[in-house]
Amino acid sequence: MSNPAVKLRSMLALLFVFLIVVVVQMGVFIVEQVGEKSLPDAFLLFALADVAIGYAGVRIVWRCLKQAYLSRKWLKHFRANRHAKLSKRLNAKYRDWGTEIIVIRDDAFVALTLGMLRPKIVLSTALFEMFDDKELEAVLLHERYHCRNHDGPKMFLSALLADAFGYWPLIHPILRYYRTWKELFADRYAIREMGTELYLGSVLLKLSKLGHPSRNEAGVHFADAAMNYRMMQVLEPDRPVKVPTALLRPLLASCSLLLLLMLGGDS
């Protein structure tokens, strides 16, 4: 399967089908316990299922509360440190995008997409010192892709799944693959819109020299992941980027555990 978009959709479909089966099986355990059906015969299995259900529920609630708190906290911080002149200039220049751009006073590298329903692009004043106009446009185009594709809610959902069902071996390889290609697709959009890899490549090169720039947990970040693959895509644009999946063993392990769970429930 050479097309990464098709492969990614197939892997996500596999993940959601697997999770649906897991959730249904959890529901079966709950119904059987409520009906007091054969509880003494599989007490340990039911107890483990209860722990898993409780863990998933607690992690989902915690992630939702944490995300809501962080979003409000960082948006308040960004608006309080807003650079009015630069924000106004960028919003006027890119008014056709229909996306709010917030420039904040900060000496650290900040470039991210923030918000669920109405995503915003947040940049720090440090970028205006680090990059020229074309390089800055490449960063903005990368973030615009995330806004147009609603990657904020998608990344939140992926974090939710990792928190709630991370004990299944299948979860993390697929989500890691998704996050890597999310950044590669955003870079491809920036390159396509600018007609050259030059400016984005210059941004990535400068960024690689920073090491690990500061970040917050409430948005989708320009420097989020997959820098090696992103550099490879820029340096060798005619060569397909191959991101390993390492999916066979996690898939077999997850299916084996799920089968044991289903058989235990039926007994």
Side-chain angles (χ1 to χ4, degrees):
M1 192 180 296
S2 58
N3 189 325
V6 174
K7 184 176 181 180
L8 181 58
R9 284 194 293 268
S10 300
M11 292 176 65
L12 290 175
L14 171 65
L15 175 61
F16 282 108
V17 168
F18 178 82
L19 288 177
I20 288 172
V21 175
V22 169
V23 171
V24 168
Q25 186 60 37
M26 286 182 171
V28 169
F29 273 101
I30 293 174
V31 170
E32 290 184 348
Q33 288 183 85
V34 171
E36 297 182 354
K37 176 185 175 182
S38 65
L39 280 179
D41 298 332
F43 175 79
L44 180 59
L45 188 60
F46 278 96
L48 291 174
D50 288 341
V51 171
I53 294 168
Y55 175 85
V58 169
R59 294 293 291 180
I60 287 173
V61 172
W62 171 249
R63 170 60 68 171
C64 291
L65 293 175
K66 181 180 179 181
Q67 183 69 26
Y69 168 76
L70 288 174
S71 295
R72 285 196 298 268
K73 170 189 171 183
W74 284 108
L75 187 57
K76 182 179 179 181
H77 171 76
F78 292 151
R79 292 200 183 282
N81 291 278
R82 182 187 181 105
H83 192 295
K85 184 177 180 180
L86 290 176
S87 297
K88 183 178 179 180
R89 190 180 94 187
L90 289 184
N91 280 289
K93 183 177 181 180
Y94 299 103
R95 66 170 62 90
D96 294 340
W97 290 8
T99 301
E100 182 183 0
I101 302 174
I102 302 174
V103 180
I104 61 170
R105 293 180 175 87
D106 200 317
D107 295 331
F109 178 95
V110 178
L112 58 89
T113 298
L114 181 71
M116 294 287 185
L117 300 178
R118 299 182 63 184
K120 304 166 182 62
I121 298 174
V122 180
L123 304 177
S124 64
T125 50
L127 273 70
F128 291 80
E129 299 175 3
M130 294 173 59
F131 307 130
D132 62 27
D133 289 346
K134 287 294 186 180
E135 292 169 339
L136 189 62
E137 184 179 355
V139 174
L140 284 166
L141 284 167
H142 176 101
E143 297 303 329
R144 189 195 183 201
Y145 175 89
H146 289 313
C147 291
R148 291 181 61 185
N149 287 272
H150 303 286
D151 282 335
K154 293 175 184 176
M155 286 305 299
F156 170 67
L157 178 59
S158 72
L160 205 63
L161 294 178
D163 279 356
F165 302 102
Y167 50 86
W168 291 97
L170 184 64
I171 303 295
H172 290 291
I174 293 181
L175 293 182
R176 187 164 52 245
Y177 186 83
Y178 164 72
R179 290 165 184 161
T180 299
W181 274 106
K182 171 205 68 175
E183 297 301 324
L184 290 170
F185 288 147
D187 283 351
R188 288 184 180 186
Y189 174 79
I191 292 170
R192 186 168 61 252
E193 290 295 307
M194 302 197 75
T196 177
E197 300 88 1
L198 177 63
Y199 304 113
L200 181 65
S202 179
V203 170
L204 293 176
L205 181 61
K206 291 178 181 179
L207 191 57
S208 66
K209 296 177 181 179
L210 290 179
H212 299 283
S214 60
R215 53 170 295 171
N216 66 70
E217 300 179 63
V220 179
H221 300 256
F222 181 87
D224 207 22
M227 285 299 281
N228 290 339
Y229 296 113
R230 295 171 69 185
M231 289 293 295
M232 190 186 307
Q233 179 171 254
V234 168
L235 294 174
E236 301 181 84
D238 298 326
R239 183 176 179 181
V241 178
K242 295 182 179 180
V243 181
T245 55
L247 198 61
L248 182 58
R249 288 186 179 180
L251 177 60
L252 292 176
S254 296
C255 289
S256 298
L257 290 173
L258 181 59
L259 182 62
L260 288 174
L261 191 65
M262 295 172 71
L263 291 175
D266 290 340
S267 65

